[in-house]
Amino acid sequence: MNQLRTSARELVAKLGGAVGGEIRRATLEVTVDGRVELVTVTVQPDGALLVAATDGSSDGAHVRAALRLLAGLAPELADEPREPRESLLPPAAAESTRHPLGDALDELLLAIARHGVDSATHAASVNEAIERLIEVAGKAPPFGLARFVGRLRLALQRRDAALIARMLDGAARVAGMMREGSADPESRRVRAVWLGRPNDPDTPRDVVYDRSFVEVGREWIAGLSRASLQRRYLVCTTTGEVFREERLRSESGSVGSCPRLVTAGLAEIELGGAPRLLRLLQYAVTPRIGADVWARVGELAVPSVDELRPRFRAAIKASPALAEPFVVVAARELDAASRVVDDGAGGKLPLRGGPAGIDARVITAAETGTLRWVAGRVDDAEGVLVMEPFAVAIEVEGKTVFERLR
């Protein structure tokens, strides 16, 4: 706390000039006994303070530390030393920031290149390189690294040369950054994506307030083991961006079934591959979603396949190994025979993949009314943009009907 106040005073003196204004709300990241919590302090209209921490307390040690700082009563004590974290870049020589993940990725890339796509699945050297990568990750592997391993194993089993090449390209870039030990913003972002863990204060993140999200799909995906990660896909009703929640089987997620409307008083968005990771800290949930909310989701849908293509390319370019873009895209018709969606502007989006039975459900849903939008994960197959559908919205007698497919 002492360092925060000292740094703030130095910056104020540097900036100079008097500025009017009234602070009505402040959110502080507080560490007590090695545990990190966010504390939000809000001034109510009657002047009373509303205080809440992400551990659910309103009078705990984190809350008291935050209040003492705001009241100017913070003790003049040296900050406690913090244990080094894998995603932290300490201000030291480049060699000191080199992470063993870079060498482990290099070993994996070399092993796959030696055996080729057809033989790599059962090659002992490839399996050993993957195990080395897992060993580097530690007992609690970060979600980014765990998903890379699970997705790569699946791609090798399917002999998906295009996906393997994309993932190895991304891994090669990360390995290079790890070897260089750079402290620039891009390197910090990449480290956070691959090595960041929940509640890690060194992971770059944005904080948002008073946002609403509509969940349109969820699934279990491969991490270090099969179906070990759950993802939930939520559409922001302010921007239309789709975010993801992620959890292990051993962890509990936010409450509520799909679909649901989540009103978040406080949430964090971690920088990373698309879709970005959302952490709900203070929120309320309702399973009842009004017609106006569904209409808003439709308004924010990607309007055409032509507009979807550059968004997809940008997401893949930013994070080749980990990006799995998930979007809501406008739709008007479905060709039942070819399972191709028409966006009404001449664009075609083939639907593919997913659990058995989805084909028939998509066709049945489309026959009951007018197709309005489709939500799902987007990929490209030999240069053609395709979607794995998770949900569709149909207009029936002037009302939006949501059909969850998985």
Side-chain angles (χ1 to χ4, degrees), residues 86 137-142 197:
E86 290 179 317
K139 295 181 179 179
R197 292 185 171 88

Side-chain angles (χ1 to χ4, degrees), residues 362-371 394-397 401 403:
V362 170
I363 294 170
T364 300
E367 290 175 345
T368 61
T370 304
L371 193 61
I394 310 296
E395 185 177 316
V396 180
E397 298 180 353
V401 177
E403 179 72 19

Side-chain angles (χ1 to χ4, degrees), residues 222-341:
L224 296 188
S225 59
R226 185 176 181 181
S228 58
L229 296 173
Q230 186 188 58
R231 278 188 180 171
R232 304 175 179 188
Y233 300 100
L234 300 100
V235 183
C236 176
T237 60
T238 299
T239 65
E241 182 179 354
V242 179
F243 297 93
R244 78 181 195 273
E245 278 193 279
E246 208 156 70
R247 71 176 182 91
L248 297 170
R249 282 193 177 273
S250 58
E251 300 172 339
S252 59
S254 59
V255 299
S257 57
C258 179
R260 57 180 174 148
L261 176 64
V262 181
T263 304
L266 175 63
E268 290 181 341
I269 299 171
E270 296 189 4
L271 306 182
R276 293 191 291 167
L277 184 64
L278 175 72
R279 295 184 61 235
L280 298 170
L281 302 177
Q282 298 173 4
Y283 65 96
V285 174
T286 176
R288 295 183 179 181
I289 303 175
D292 58 331
V293 177
W294 285 126
R296 180 61 176 162
V297 174
E299 291 172 1
L300 294 170
V302 180
S304 68
V305 176
D306 283 343
E307 187 168 327
L308 179 59
R309 288 191 183 96
R311 297 190 187 191
F312 172 80
R313 288 195 295 267
I316 295 300
K317 182 178 180 181
S319 186
L322 295 180
E324 299 176 80
F326 190 105
V327 300
V328 176
V329 63
R332 292 297 176 265
E333 293 183 36
L334 171 67
D335 185 322
S338 61
R339 292 185 70 236
V340 174
V341 167

Side-chain angles (χ1 to χ4, degrees), residues 164-185:
I164 293 171
R166 183 194 304 165
M167 295 188 69
L168 295 186
D169 174 45
R173 297 184 195 181
V174 173
M177 290 183 180
M178 296 296 180
R179 285 194 302 270
E180 293 169 2
S182 174
D184 62 73

